[in-house]
Amino acid sequence: MAKQLPYRTLQEIFHRFHAAEPEPKGELEHVNAYTLVVAVALSAQATDAGVNKATRALFRIADTPEKMLALGEEGLLEHIKTIGLYRQKAKNVMKTARILVDEYGGEVPSSRAALQSLPGVGRKTANVVLNMWWGHPAQAVDTHIFRVGNRSGIAPGRDVDAVERAIEDNVPAEYQRHAHHWLILHGRYTCVARKPKCAACIIRDLCEYEEKTL
């Protein structure tokens, strides 16, 4: 685990991220808050590309909890059977649809606590929805962010909660909104797990990682 980078270094890092991609976007396809909740829940232990491939046809016919209930669990299974853990995920999606219809009038709640009360929706999923749909500066720490945060010194922490706190406590306020997307994309395409592409990294001179590749 690298040591926490100083504030001025973080300012420069996120200035560079912003200059390279001012409005970073999540890669999960969705058409509204509900389909975003479903997509993020389905993405656990799966790739965004795999989820997108499965949900394109699904969301054309089931883009509200009411339509999902009408489709039914068997109909849902046919659409998502290429996704890992699809049977349990299907059960959670159907339970969530029922709760949203019965308790929230078919609308997705905008509070973290309410979101986390939904089946299959953990803190990471709730933070993604809060950030991507409502624009909250919520930090959804996945494996990419955990790796980048610890490897670089941007947000070191022994677990995902500690990394989330490190981002919230140390990343300059003006960059909080998009911080998790910059870090996810950096980890997905540059600071990859096995052979990080340090030669192509825009923050390589600021990063604390001792085993930089040539």
Side-chain angles (χ1 to χ4, degrees):
M1 184 192 305
K3 64 180 180 181
Q4 176 68 58
L5 291 170
Y7 183 78
R8 287 186 178 180
T9 304
L10 291 176
Q11 280 186 309
E12 177 59 24
I13 284 173
F14 283 93
H15 171 75
R16 293 183 191 182
F17 284 153
H18 178 268
E21 183 62 70
E23 293 287 333
K25 304 293 183 185
E27 296 182 328
L28 282 174
E29 296 173 7
H30 59 284
V31 296
N32 54 29
Y34 173 65
T35 54
L36 178 58
V37 170
V38 173
V40 179
L42 292 176
S43 72
Q45 299 182 48
T47 66
D48 287 1
V51 172
N52 290 338
K53 186 175 180 180
T55 58
R56 284 181 192 127
L58 172 65
F59 291 159
R60 283 197 290 269
I61 61 173
D63 60 355
T64 68
E66 292 87 353
K67 291 178 183 177
M68 191 66 75
L69 291 173
L71 177 64
E73 188 171 326
E74 289 303 314
L76 173 60
L77 285 169
E78 282 302 305
H79 283 88
I80 68 169
K81 60 186 178 183
T82 57
I83 299 174
L85 306 176
Y86 69 99
R87 291 190 182 279
Q88 183 57 50
K89 289 176 181 178
K91 293 182 185 298
N92 288 336
V93 168
M94 299 310 295
K95 289 177 183 176
T96 290
R98 173 53 62 194
I99 292 171
L100 291 176
V101 169
D102 291 349
E103 300 182 19
Y104 296 98
E107 299 295 323
V108 174
S110 59
S111 81
R112 181 183 284 113
L115 285 167
Q116 285 188 243
S117 72
L118 299 172
V121 177
R123 185 177 180 87
K124 187 187 83 170
T125 299
N127 282 348
V128 171
V129 176
L130 290 171
N131 182 281
M132 290 181 64
W133 193 255
W134 283 288
H136 296 185
Q139 309 302 330
V141 178
D142 68 353
T143 55
H144 297 299
I145 293 182
F146 187 79
R147 178 176 67 256
V148 172
N150 278 292
R151 181 183 275 175
S152 66
I154 291 172
R158 296 194 178 279
D159 54 41
V160 293
D161 291 339
V163 171
E164 181 181 333
R165 287 193 300 272
I167 296 172
E168 292 175 344
D169 291 345
N170 297 294
V171 171
E174 64 267 32
Y175 298 119
Q176 286 278 336
R177 164 77 193 282
H178 293 310
H180 99 269
H181 276 133
W182 282 315
L183 294 172
I184 285 173
L185 295 172
H186 191 64
R188 186 172 288 165
Y189 297 111
T190 303
C191 194
V192 295
R194 293 189 179 178
K195 291 184 179 179
K197 301 171 184 178
C198 299
C201 177
I202 62 173
I203 64 166
R204 61 185 177 275
D205 57 316
L206 304 173
C207 168
E208 287 287 319
Y209 187 49
E210 294 182 354
E211 299 175 34
K212 290 186 176 73
T213 58
L214 296 176

